[in-house]
Amino acid sequence: MSEQKNLINAAGPEPPRHIAIIMDGNGRWATRRGLPRTVGHKVGAETLRRIQAYCHKIGVRSLTVYAFSTENWKRSKDEVNFIMGLFRTYLLEAIESLERDHVRLRFFGDMSAVSPELQSLAHQTDEISERLPEDYFHANVCLNYGGRDEIIRAARRFASDCAAGKRRPDELDENLFANLLDTAGLPDPDILIRPGGELRLSNFLIWQCAYTEFYFTDTLWPDFTESEIDRAIAAYQKRERRFGGVNNK
Ligand code: FPP
């Protein structure tokens, strides 16, 4: 652990604790090579394994990735099935490796729409993660996730608690609401990285990114490397974060 901290501290003060990534560009990566889009997703899943291990190694505390949005169901059945197969493999690997690798895994999004098998595997990784120490690395995967959908689900939960007499509307504040979101208990992302050249948020962590620093790169996700993480962290460390205040230095 001390070796991990040293690596990130060597890069300068205030390293990001929480990195969020929109894993974009898999389809284009494959199409440019004359390959089916699914090959891009397969290589993208490998990139995730590498980048997750690297973030852990350098002392980042949490990594949240956008893997499948509430809108991604519009893709062809073959592409959707292929991506679901990649989640299955990732989950089976996680069941074997979370404890050994000191990783806690959470899924954000409405899991009720995925297959019973994936739900059951995610339930197993939840059970394993819940009994692992809080200070382990937090890997979070957004699956059937949309920021607006997450907010609506949280609002419904609060409304039904009010209707049941467990809460009062005037009790609601930002802290309470944040604890009703899928990301409850997790600090907001310090930096959001979007590979693939698009300059938008695409309904990702829209509540949590209120003060997040953005880093965009044209690199397509399957080509994304550890050096890109270093560059993003270096750029982040040069930013002045004021959270709406002023710098009194
Ligand atoms: C966006 O690229 C990527 C996706 C919708 C799928 C992301 C999935 C993975 C990286 C692999 C599976 C993940 C896990 C957790 C095992 P795109 O297809 O929209 O690319 P394009 O913009 O070039 O078409």
mmCIF file of all heavy atoms in Angstrom, residues 8-9 12-18 59 190 233 236-237:
data_model
loop_
_atom_site.group_PDB
_atom_site.id
_atom_site.type_symbol
_atom_site.label_atom_id
_atom_site.label_comp_id
_atom_site.label_asym_id
_atom_site.label_seq_id
_atom_site.Cartn_x
_atom_site.Cartn_y
_atom_site.Cartn_z
ATOM 1 N N ILE A 8 1.693 7.608 -6.709
ATOM 2 C CA ILE A 8 0.819 8.723 -7.070
ATOM 3 C C ILE A 8 1.315 10.020 -6.447
ATOM 4 O O ILE A 8 1.255 11.069 -7.072
ATOM 5 C CB ILE A 8 -0.663 8.449 -6.753
ATOM 6 C CG1 ILE A 8 -1.517 9.331 -7.661
ATOM 7 C CG2 ILE A 8 -1.019 8.645 -5.319
ATOM 8 C CD1 ILE A 8 -2.923 8.834 -7.814
ATOM 9 N N ASN A 9 1.876 9.956 -5.246
ATOM 10 C CA ASN A 9 2.366 11.183 -4.624
ATOM 11 C C ASN A 9 3.515 11.787 -5.428
ATOM 12 O O ASN A 9 3.701 12.991 -5.461
ATOM 13 C CB ASN A 9 2.818 10.915 -3.182
ATOM 14 C CG ASN A 9 1.604 10.734 -2.283
ATOM 15 O OD1 ASN A 9 0.506 11.089 -2.679
ATOM 16 N ND2 ASN A 9 1.808 10.169 -1.110
ATOM 17 N N GLY A 12 2.758 14.669 -7.743
ATOM 18 C CA GLY A 12 2.454 16.016 -7.241
ATOM 19 C C GLY A 12 1.369 15.970 -6.197
ATOM 20 O O GLY A 12 0.887 14.903 -5.848
ATOM 21 N N PRO A 13 0.972 17.159 -5.702
ATOM 22 C CA PRO A 13 -0.024 17.188 -4.633
ATOM 23 C C PRO A 13 -1.438 16.885 -5.131
ATOM 24 O O PRO A 13 -1.712 16.963 -6.327
ATOM 25 C CB PRO A 13 0.068 18.629 -4.126
ATOM 26 C CG PRO A 13 0.554 19.398 -5.306
ATOM 27 C CD PRO A 13 1.374 18.484 -6.146
ATOM 28 N N GLU A 14 -2.300 16.572 -4.197
ATOM 29 C CA GLU A 14 -3.727 16.364 -4.470
ATOM 30 C C GLU A 14 -4.013 15.462 -5.668
ATOM 31 O O GLU A 14 -4.528 15.916 -6.688
ATOM 32 C CB GLU A 14 -4.421 17.715 -4.646
ATOM 33 C CG GLU A 14 -4.371 18.546 -3.368
ATOM 34 C CD GLU A 14 -5.121 19.851 -3.517
ATOM 35 O OE1 GLU A 14 -6.194 19.832 -4.139
ATOM 36 O OE2 GLU A 14 -4.625 20.861 -3.022
ATOM 37 N N PRO A 15 -3.634 14.211 -5.569
ATOM 38 C CA PRO A 15 -3.985 13.291 -6.651
ATOM 39 C C PRO A 15 -5.485 13.033 -6.659
ATOM 40 O O PRO A 15 -6.140 13.213 -5.634
ATOM 41 C CB PRO A 15 -3.234 12.011 -6.279
ATOM 42 C CG PRO A 15 -3.098 12.081 -4.800
ATOM 43 C CD PRO A 15 -2.974 13.538 -4.454
ATOM 44 N N PRO A 16 -6.053 12.632 -7.790
ATOM 45 C CA PRO A 16 -7.496 12.319 -7.794
ATOM 46 C C PRO A 16 -7.757 11.054 -6.971
ATOM 47 O O PRO A 16 -7.034 10.075 -7.101
ATOM 48 C CB PRO A 16 -7.804 12.081 -9.268
ATOM 49 C CG PRO A 16 -6.499 11.744 -9.903
ATOM 50 C CD PRO A 16 -5.432 12.418 -9.101
ATOM 51 N N ARG A 17 -8.786 11.113 -6.150
ATOM 52 C CA ARG A 17 -9.166 9.904 -5.395
ATOM 53 C C ARG A 17 -10.087 9.054 -6.240
ATOM 54 O O ARG A 17 -10.119 7.846 -6.142
ATOM 55 C CB ARG A 17 -9.944 10.301 -4.111
ATOM 56 C CG ARG A 17 -9.120 10.884 -3.006
ATOM 57 C CD ARG A 17 -10.039 11.426 -1.913
ATOM 58 N NE ARG A 17 -11.028 12.350 -2.493
ATOM 59 C CZ ARG A 17 -12.127 12.765 -1.880
ATOM 60 N NH1 ARG A 17 -12.409 12.343 -0.665
ATOM 61 N NH2 ARG A 17 -12.958 13.598 -2.476
ATOM 62 N N HIS A 18 -10.908 9.724 -7.037
ATOM 63 C CA HIS A 18 -11.932 9.015 -7.793
ATOM 64 C C HIS A 18 -11.868 9.439 -9.259
ATOM 65 O O HIS A 18 -12.019 10.615 -9.567
ATOM 66 C CB HIS A 18 -13.306 9.348 -7.178
ATOM 67 C CG HIS A 18 -14.456 8.654 -7.841
ATOM 68 N ND1 HIS A 18 -15.763 8.891 -7.479
ATOM 69 C CD2 HIS A 18 -14.517 7.724 -8.836
ATOM 70 C CE1 HIS A 18 -16.568 8.148 -8.215
ATOM 71 N NE2 HIS A 18 -15.834 7.435 -9.055
ATOM 72 N N GLY A 59 -2.543 4.096 -6.677
ATOM 73 C CA GLY A 59 -3.122 4.655 -5.456
ATOM 74 C C GLY A 59 -4.417 5.432 -5.626
ATOM 75 O O GLY A 59 -4.875 6.066 -4.676
ATOM 76 N N ASP A 190 -13.267 13.114 -9.053
ATOM 77 C CA ASP A 190 -12.417 14.309 -9.141
ATOM 78 C C ASP A 190 -12.187 14.643 -10.603
ATOM 79 O O ASP A 190 -12.131 15.806 -10.978
ATOM 80 C CB ASP A 190 -11.071 14.030 -8.457
ATOM 81 C CG ASP A 190 -11.255 13.762 -6.987
ATOM 82 O OD1 ASP A 190 -11.803 14.645 -6.301
ATOM 83 O OD2 ASP A 190 -10.899 12.655 -6.524
ATOM 84 N N ILE A 233 -3.950 12.661 -15.178
ATOM 85 C CA ILE A 233 -3.707 13.021 -13.773
ATOM 86 C C ILE A 233 -2.831 14.280 -13.702
ATOM 87 O O ILE A 233 -3.084 15.191 -12.911
ATOM 88 C CB ILE A 233 -3.068 11.843 -12.994
ATOM 89 C CG1 ILE A 233 -4.102 10.715 -12.832
ATOM 90 C CG2 ILE A 233 -2.555 12.300 -11.621
ATOM 91 C CD1 ILE A 233 -3.588 9.470 -12.131
ATOM 92 N N TYR A 236 -4.964 17.184 -14.472
ATOM 93 C CA TYR A 236 -5.846 17.421 -13.316
ATOM 94 C C TYR A 236 -5.094 18.183 -12.223
ATOM 95 O O TYR A 236 -5.621 19.109 -11.605
ATOM 96 C CB TYR A 236 -6.351 16.073 -12.780
ATOM 97 C CG TYR A 236 -6.995 16.154 -11.428
ATOM 98 C CD1 TYR A 236 -8.327 16.530 -11.296
ATOM 99 C CD2 TYR A 236 -6.261 15.866 -10.274
ATOM 100 C CE1 TYR A 236 -8.917 16.621 -10.052
ATOM 101 C CE2 TYR A 236 -6.842 15.959 -9.026
ATOM 102 C CZ TYR A 236 -8.168 16.333 -8.914
ATOM 103 O OH TYR A 236 -8.744 16.435 -7.685
ATOM 104 N N GLN A 237 -3.845 17.780 -11.990
ATOM 105 C CA GLN A 237 -3.094 18.384 -10.888
ATOM 106 C C GLN A 237 -2.706 19.832 -11.161
ATOM 107 O O GLN A 237 -2.313 20.546 -10.251
ATOM 108 C CB GLN A 237 -1.872 17.522 -10.557
ATOM 109 C CG GLN A 237 -2.322 16.232 -9.873
ATOM 110 C CD GLN A 237 -1.191 15.289 -9.545
ATOM 111 O OE1 GLN A 237 -0.302 15.076 -10.372
ATOM 112 N NE2 GLN A 237 -1.219 14.726 -8.360
#
